[in-house]
Amino acid sequence: KNLFQFFFNKSLWKSLNEKTVLLYQQGKVKEAITAAKESLEYSKKNFGENHTKTATALNNLGELYRLQGKLMQPAESSASCL
């Protein structure tokens, strides 16, 4: 990948995470979870399963579930991210 693509991917990932936080702060938890899932999938595709951005996205999704008193689904909590 070229340098432009790298920075584009990084910028888009950051925007998805900021969207997740903003939606949560607005009390829109379902929408925040959807955004967190998008961020996680984007991270896996563009940075790989073992990248720190993927781990951060997985953590954000897990935290949203924890705050709701729910557990993550096994398919979402990929052990390869750890």
Side-chain angles (χ1 to χ4, degrees), residues 1-64:
K1 294 183 181 180
N2 65 38
L3 192 57
F4 172 78
Q5 188 66 41
F6 172 78
F7 285 111
F8 176 79
N9 289 345
K10 188 176 175 182
S11 177
L12 186 54
W13 176 84
K14 183 178 178 182
S15 294
L16 287 169
N17 278 293
E18 288 172 352
K19 178 180 175 184
T20 300
V21 171
L22 180 63
L23 288 167
Y24 173 74
Q25 289 173 339
Q26 293 174 345
K28 299 176 181 178
V29 178
K30 284 186 177 184
E31 292 92 339
I33 288 173
T34 299
K37 287 179 180 180
E38 290 174 21
S39 176
L40 179 58
E41 289 307 312
Y42 185 85
S43 297
K44 286 180 182 179
K45 180 180 175 186
N46 291 283
F47 302 113
E49 295 227 356
N50 295 318
H51 196 279
T52 56
K53 291 190 183 329
T54 303
T56 298
L58 181 61
N59 183 68
N60 290 346
L61 180 59
E63 184 64 12
L64 287 168

